[in-house]
Amino acid sequence: MLCESAALIEALSAILPALQRQAIIDDALAAFPTESFERLQKLGLLRAPLPVALGGAGLGDGATGASALLRVLTLLGEASLPVARLYEAHVNALQLVCRYAQDRLIRRCARDAGAGALFALWVTDPPESTLAMHRDGDGYRLEGSKAFCSGAGIATRALITAAMPSGIRMLIIDVEPGTRVLPSPIKLSGMRAAITGSIDLTGIHVPADALLGEDGDYLREPVFSAGAWRSAAAALGGLKALVEIHRGEILRRGRAQDPHQQARFGALVMAYETSRLWMAQAALRACLEDDDAGAIVAYVNLARLAVESACLDAMRLSQRSLGLGAFIAGHPAERVCRDLATYLRQPAPDETLVKAASHYFHTQLPGTARAGAA
Ligand SMILES: Cc1cc2nc3c(=O)[nH]c(=O)nc-3n(C[C@H](O)[C@H](O)[C@H](O)COP(=O)(O)OP(=O)(O)OC[C@H]3O[C@@H](n4cnc5c(N)ncnc54)[C@H](O)[C@@H]3O)c2cc1C
């Protein structure tokens, strides 16, 4: 008998073509992928990141859970980067709840996810102000907003960060669908179906038991930085989609014998395979947490940047090979490149590289046996 995560991957693979077809429609309409999430809910994917004891499939738990979550995120990224991005935030929020929250809040979130609630992760403050949380009776009151919130107006639960005088805290809020979305002049050119906007949280009353962890836990390492492996895994799926689209089109046009096309396709496959190998290791290191925090963070930081670099190379090669056709609105390469280019803009890439470089200036390179290790 298949374990649940293996069965989930099989079931997800089977609906991949349907998710891919839906991604085209959702992008054209800039619409939230409601139908795709209904399918994911039916498969049990919204509860799957929870531990088995809480009704989940343990995605992300241990070595088996790491490779299962990697597979789920890359499959989703291959089908639709906006769906993968939304699902990645859902996983992140539930993992933080399970790590830092009290039992009661964990059970409530597990129940909600099991019932199909999509959790968002809204932690980006607008440049002009930080979301604040003030004492209000036996709870708290929020003042301010969050920016770049995916699932804005649709996600019904969100893990957010808010500033208290003592530091930054995480909390879970309930949001009524269709409410609190600020009219925003920002329109991202890619990832349109992720519905990324600004959310006004002013006036929301937060009960004390909605808080999780201690001050500063959201930024605690290695979890904070190593979590970037999940968005890189989704990007890897987008890269695979691009390679497949590229191959199909070059073959269809009868251009696969041309040495220039062959050379570029060879480089594309190298970019994909390099990313895949980095991600297999990064997923394991991030999920197992069996090394010191600095080593895990440095490795995952490099993996994230290796995937970013491979995706940027792949888009350049693919656009050169496919030509102007790949820029026609509605061409699959146009949509995937637009989504991928947007999604690759993750926080602080320069700092990420420099920090990882500093680490490896003073420690063994990856793959070097540790002193005392068997
Ligand atoms: C599709 C999409 C969906 C998203 N959804 C969410 C969401 O649901 N919730 C959420 O919280 N966030 C979300 N975000 C925002 C995300 O978390 C990051 O805030 C965002 O991606 C940062 O991108 P950036 O390029 O502006 O990063 P930046 O860190 O601003 O980097 C831009 C450039 O500036 C450089 N740089 C950074 N800091 C400095 C500095 N101090 N001095 C000099 N140079 C600097 C960087 O190295 C880089 O070259 C989303 C982003 C995307 C793309």
Side-chain angles (χ1 to χ4, degrees):
M1 203 177 85
L2 289 173
C3 74
E4 188 181 5
S5 58
L8 273 176
I9 289 164
E10 209 175 282
L12 178 58
S13 305
I15 64 162
L16 214 63
L19 296 179
Q20 279 166 329
R21 282 193 299 275
Q22 192 59 42
I24 297 167
I25 299 167
D26 294 332
D27 173 67
L29 300 174
F32 181 84
T34 306
E35 199 170 296
S36 298
F37 270 93
E38 281 168 7
R39 288 177 185 273
L40 300 191
Q41 159 67 357
K42 267 192 204 140
L43 294 190
L45 271 168
L46 292 186
R47 62 174 174 77
L50 295 164
V52 175
L54 289 170
L59 286 189
D61 287 349
T64 309
S67 56
L69 182 55
L70 172 59
R71 189 88 180 101
V72 166
L73 289 167
T74 50
L75 281 169
L76 289 176
E78 188 180 348
S80 161
L81 279 165
V83 169
R85 193 276 161 277
L86 290 157
Y87 186 73
E88 189 278 321
H90 178 82
V91 173
N92 193 355
L94 289 179
Q95 288 188 344
L96 288 169
V97 165
C98 290
R99 178 180 291 266
Y100 291 117
Q102 306 273 357
D103 276 359
R104 198 160 149 227
L105 182 58
I106 295 176
R107 280 199 306 275
R108 177 160 75 84
C109 292
R111 205 174 48 239
D112 291 350
L118 176 66
F119 281 70
L121 188 103
W122 296 334
V123 293
T124 306
D125 290 298
E128 63 283 0
S129 63
T130 303
L131 179 73
M133 186 157 62
H134 308 289
R135 267 271 172 211
D136 184 20
D138 54 1
Y140 300 88
R141 185 176 42 80
L142 296 177
E143 187 184 345
S145 61
K146 286 286 178 186
F148 292 120
C149 302
S150 291
I154 294 114
T156 52
R157 304 284 181 276
L159 185 147
I160 65 171
T161 47
M164 304 206 335
S166 54
I168 301 285
R169 282 296 281 270
M170 289 182 278
L171 57 143
I172 294 289
I173 55 168
D174 294 1
V175 199
E176 278 292 309
T179 64
R180 300 199 163 268
V181 183
L182 286 166
S184 167
I186 296 172
K187 268 202 167 81
L188 294 177
S189 58
M191 301 295 282
R192 288 149 49 97
I195 313 292
T196 303
S198 299
I199 296 276
D200 178 12
L201 299 166
T202 299
I204 289 188
H205 178 81
V206 180
D209 64 2
L211 272 59
L212 51 141
E214 302 296 330
D215 295 339
D217 273 350
Y218 178 69
L219 295 176
R220 202 167 297 290
E221 300 290 16
V223 175
F224 173 65
S225 296
W229 82 266
R230 291 183 306 266
S231 40
L236 169 65
L239 173 56
K240 174 143 189 271
L242 184 61
V243 176
E244 296 289 8
I245 292 164
H246 180 109
R247 173 168 53 189
E249 180 131 345
I250 296 295
L251 287 171
R252 190 177 55 75
R253 288 197 203 167
R255 291 182 168 181
Q257 301 311 315
D258 175 75
H260 301 286
Q261 295 289 5
Q262 287 176 338
R264 280 193 292 267
F265 188 62
L268 264 184
V269 177
M270 278 195 283
Y272 167 71
E273 184 60 3
T274 304
S275 304
R276 197 182 67 81
L277 295 169
W278 266 108
M279 287 317 302
Q281 283 300 310
L284 273 180
R285 286 180 180 230
C287 293
L288 294 181
E289 291 180 48
D290 61 352
D291 206 341
D292 68 78
I296 296 170
V297 168
Y299 191 89
V300 174
N301 276 347
L302 289 187
R304 169 195 147 182
L305 294 176
V307 173
E308 183 205 35
S309 179
C311 290
L312 293 171
D313 285 348
M315 285 190 283
R316 177 178 56 78
L317 291 163
S318 203
Q319 288 171 343
R320 168 65 84 85
S321 284
L322 301 180
L324 193 55
F327 291 83
I328 296 173
H331 189 290
E334 185 271 338
R335 176 178 49 82
V336 170
C337 284
R338 191 159 34 80
D339 284 347
L340 198 50
T342 307
Y343 191 40
L344 288 177
R345 291 306 109 229
Q346 295 296 321
D350 299 329
E351 189 188 341
T352 300
L353 177 61
V354 167
K355 272 192 179 165
S358 302
H359 175 84
Y360 286 115
F361 261 125
H362 302 294
T363 51
Q364 301 275 28
L365 290 175
T368 310
R370 273 177 275 158

